[in-house]
Coordinates of all heavy atoms in Angstrom, one line a residue:
A230 N -11.6 12.6 -1.9 CA -12.5 12.7 -0.7 C -11.9 12.2 0.6 O -12.0 12.8 1.6 CB -13.8 12.1 -0.9
F231 N -11.3 11.0 0.5 CA -10.7 10.4 1.7 C -9.5 11.2 2.1 O -9.2 11.4 3.4 CB -10.2 8.9 1.4 CG -11.3 8.0 1.5 CD1 -11.5 7.0 0.5 CD2 -12.2 7.9 2.6 CE1 -12.5 6.1 0.6 CE2 -13.2 7.0 2.7 CZ -13.3 6.0 1.6
I232 N -8.7 11.7 1.2 CA -7.6 12.6 1.5 C -8.0 13.8 2.1 O -7.4 14.3 3.2 CB -6.6 12.8 0.3 CG1 -6.0 11.5 -0.1 CG2 -5.6 13.9 0.6 CD1 -5.2 11.7 -1.5
A233 N -9.1 14.4 1.7 CA -9.6 15.7 2.2 C -10.2 15.5 3.6 O -10.0 16.4 4.4 CB -10.7 16.2 1.2
T234 N -10.9 14.4 3.8 CA -11.5 14.2 5.1 C -10.6 13.6 6.2 O -10.7 14.0 7.4 CB -12.8 13.3 5.0 OG1 -12.4 12.1 4.4 CG2 -13.9 14.0 4.1
E235 N -9.8 12.6 5.8 CA -8.9 11.9 6.8 C -7.5 11.9 6.1 O -6.9 11.0 5.8 CB -9.3 10.5 7.0 CG -10.6 10.5 7.8 CD -10.5 11.0 9.2 OE1 -9.4 10.9 9.8 OE2 -11.5 11.4 9.8
P236 N -6.8 13.1 6.0 CA -5.5 13.1 5.3 C -4.4 12.3 6.0 O -3.6 11.6 5.4 CB -5.1 14.6 5.2 CG -6.0 15.2 6.3 CD -7.1 14.5 6.4
R237 N -4.4 12.3 7.3 CA -3.3 11.5 8.0 C -3.4 10.2 7.8 O -2.4 9.5 7.5 CB -3.4 11.9 9.5 CG -3.0 13.3 9.9 CD -3.0 13.5 11.3 NE -2.5 14.8 11.6 CZ -2.2 15.3 12.7 NH1 -2.2 14.5 13.8 NH2 -1.8 16.5 12.9
V238 N -4.6 9.6 7.9 CA -4.7 8.1 7.8 C -4.6 7.7 6.3 O -4.0 6.7 6.0 CB -6.1 7.6 8.3 CG1 -6.3 6.2 8.0 CG2 -6.2 8.0 9.9
T239 N -5.2 8.5 5.4 CA -5.2 8.2 4.0 C -3.8 8.1 3.4 O -3.4 7.3 2.7 CB -6.1 9.1 3.2 OG1 -7.5 9.1 3.8 CG2 -6.3 8.6 1.7
L240 N -3.1 9.1 3.7 CA -1.7 9.3 3.2 C -0.8 8.2 3.7 O 0.0 7.7 2.9 CB -1.2 10.7 3.4 CG -1.9 11.8 2.7 CD1 -1.4 13.2 3.2 CD2 -1.7 11.7 1.2
V241 N -1.0 7.9 5.0 CA -0.1 6.8 5.5 C -0.5 5.5 4.8 O 0.4 4.7 4.5 CB -0.3 6.7 7.0 CG1 0.2 5.3 7.5 CG2 0.5 7.8 7.6
I242 N -1.7 5.2 4.6 CA -2.2 4.0 4.0 C -1.7 3.9 2.5 O -1.2 2.9 2.2 CB -3.8 3.8 4.0 CG1 -4.2 3.6 5.4 CG2 -4.3 2.8 3.1 CD1 -5.7 3.6 5.7
L243 N -1.8 5.1 1.8 CA -1.3 5.1 0.5 C 0.3 4.8 0.4 O 0.8 4.0 -0.4 CB -1.6 6.4 -0.3 CG -3.1 6.6 -0.6 CD1 -3.3 8.1 -1.1 CD2 -3.5 5.6 -1.6
A244 N 0.9 5.5 1.3 CA 2.5 5.4 1.3 C 2.9 4.0 1.6 O 3.7 3.4 0.9 CB 3.1 6.4 2.3
Y245 N 2.4 3.4 2.7 CA 2.8 2.1 3.1 C 2.2 1.0 2.2 O 2.7 -0.1 2.1 CB 2.6 1.9 4.6 CG 3.5 2.6 5.5 CD1 3.2 3.9 5.9 CD2 4.7 2.0 5.9 CE1 4.2 4.6 6.7 CE2 5.6 2.7 6.7 CZ 5.4 3.9 7.1 OH 6.3 4.5 7.9
G246 N 1.0 1.3 1.7 CA 0.4 0.3 0.7 C 1.4 0.2 -0.5 O 1.5 -0.9 -1.0
Y247 N 1.9 1.3 -1.0 CA 2.8 1.2 -2.1 C 4.2 0.4 -1.8 O 4.6 -0.4 -2.5 CB 3.2 2.5 -2.8 CG 4.0 2.5 -4.0 CD1 3.4 2.0 -5.3 CD2 5.3 2.9 -4.0 CE1 4.2 1.9 -6.4 CE2 6.1 2.8 -5.1 CZ 5.5 2.3 -6.3 OH 6.3 2.2 -7.4
L248 N 4.6 0.8 -0.5 CA 5.8 0.2 -0.1 C 5.6 -1.3 0.0 O 6.4 -2.1 -0.5 CB 6.2 0.7 1.3 CG 7.5 0.2 1.8 CD1 8.2 1.4 2.6 CD2 7.4 -1.0 2.7
L249 N 4.5 -1.7 0.6 CA 4.2 -3.2 0.7 C 3.8 -3.9 -0.6 O 3.9 -5.1 -0.6 CB 3.1 -3.4 1.8 CG 3.5 -3.0 3.2 CD1 2.3 -3.1 4.1 CD2 4.7 -3.9 3.7
S250 N 3.3 -3.1 -1.6 CA 2.8 -3.7 -2.8 C 4.0 -4.5 -3.6 O 3.5 -5.6 -4.2 CB 2.2 -2.6 -3.7 OG 3.3 -1.7 -4.3
A251 N 5.2 -4.0 -3.5 CA 6.2 -4.7 -4.2 C 6.4 -6.1 -3.5 O 6.6 -7.2 -4.3 CB 7.5 -4.0 -4.1
F252 N 6.4 -6.2 -2.2 CA 6.5 -7.5 -1.5 C 5.3 -8.5 -1.7 O 5.5 -9.6 -1.9 CB 6.7 -7.3 0.0 CG 8.0 -6.4 0.2 CD1 8.0 -5.1 0.5 CD2 9.3 -7.0 0.1 CE1 9.2 -4.4 0.7 CE2 10.4 -6.3 0.3 CZ 10.3 -5.0 0.6
I253 N 4.1 -7.8 -1.8 CA 2.9 -8.6 -2.1 C 3.0 -9.2 -3.4 O 2.7 -10.4 -3.7 CB 1.6 -7.8 -1.8 CG1 1.5 -7.4 -0.4 CG2 0.4 -8.5 -2.3 CD1 0.5 -6.4 0.0
E254 N 3.4 -8.4 -4.4 CA 3.4 -8.9 -5.8 C 4.5 -9.9 -6.0 O 4.3 -10.9 -6.6 CB 3.7 -7.6 -6.8 CG 3.5 -8.0 -8.2 CD 3.4 -6.8 -9.1 OE1 3.3 -5.7 -8.6 OE2 3.6 -7.0 -10.3
M255 N 5.6 -9.7 -5.3 CA 6.7 -10.7 -5.2 C 6.2 -12.1 -4.7 O 6.5 -13.1 -5.2 CB 7.9 -10.2 -4.4 CG 9.2 -10.6 -4.9 SD 10.6 -9.8 -4.2 CE 10.2 -9.2 -2.6
G256 N 5.4 -11.9 -3.6 CA 4.9 -13.2 -2.9 C 3.9 -13.9 -3.9 O 3.9 -15.1 -4.0
I257 N 3.0 -13.2 -4.5 CA 2.1 -13.8 -5.5 C 2.8 -14.4 -6.6 O 2.5 -15.5 -7.0 CB 1.1 -12.6 -6.0 CG1 0.2 -12.3 -4.7 CG2 0.3 -13.1 -7.2 CD1 -0.7 -11.1 -5.1
Q258 N 3.8 -13.7 -7.1 CA 4.6 -14.3 -8.2 C 5.4 -15.5 -7.9 O 5.3 -16.6 -8.6 CB 5.6 -13.3 -8.8 CG 6.3 -13.7 -10.1 CD 7.2 -12.5 -10.5 OE1 7.8 -11.9 -9.7 NE2 7.3 -12.4 -11.8
R259 N 5.9 -15.6 -6.6 CA 6.6 -16.8 -6.2 C 5.5 -18.0 -6.0 O 5.8 -19.2 -6.2 CB 7.3 -16.6 -4.9 CG 8.6 -15.8 -5.2 CD 9.5 -15.7 -3.9 NE 10.7 -15.0 -4.3 CZ 11.5 -14.5 -3.4 NH1 11.3 -14.9 -2.1 NH2 12.6 -13.9 -3.7
L260 N 4.4 -17.6 -5.5 CA 3.4 -18.6 -5.4 C 2.9 -19.1 -6.6 O 2.7 -20.4 -6.8 CB 2.1 -18.0 -4.6 CG 1.0 -18.9 -4.1 CD1 1.6 -19.9 -3.2 CD2 -0.2 -18.2 -3.6
R261 N 2.7 -18.4 -7.6 CA 2.3 -18.9 -9.0 C 3.5 -19.8 -9.5 O 3.2 -20.8 -10.1 CB 2.1 -17.6 -9.9 CG 0.8 -16.9 -9.7 CD 0.7 -15.9 -10.8 NE -0.5 -15.1 -10.4 CZ -0.7 -13.9 -10.8 NH1 0.1 -13.2 -11.6 NH2 -1.9 -13.3 -10.5

């Protein structure tokens, strides 16, 4: 539904969210 109603915003959030997820997970792992 989000992709259908706001594709520009949703697709950018998904793409950059995945890109950043590796760094977030790396930071969490280092913190642990």
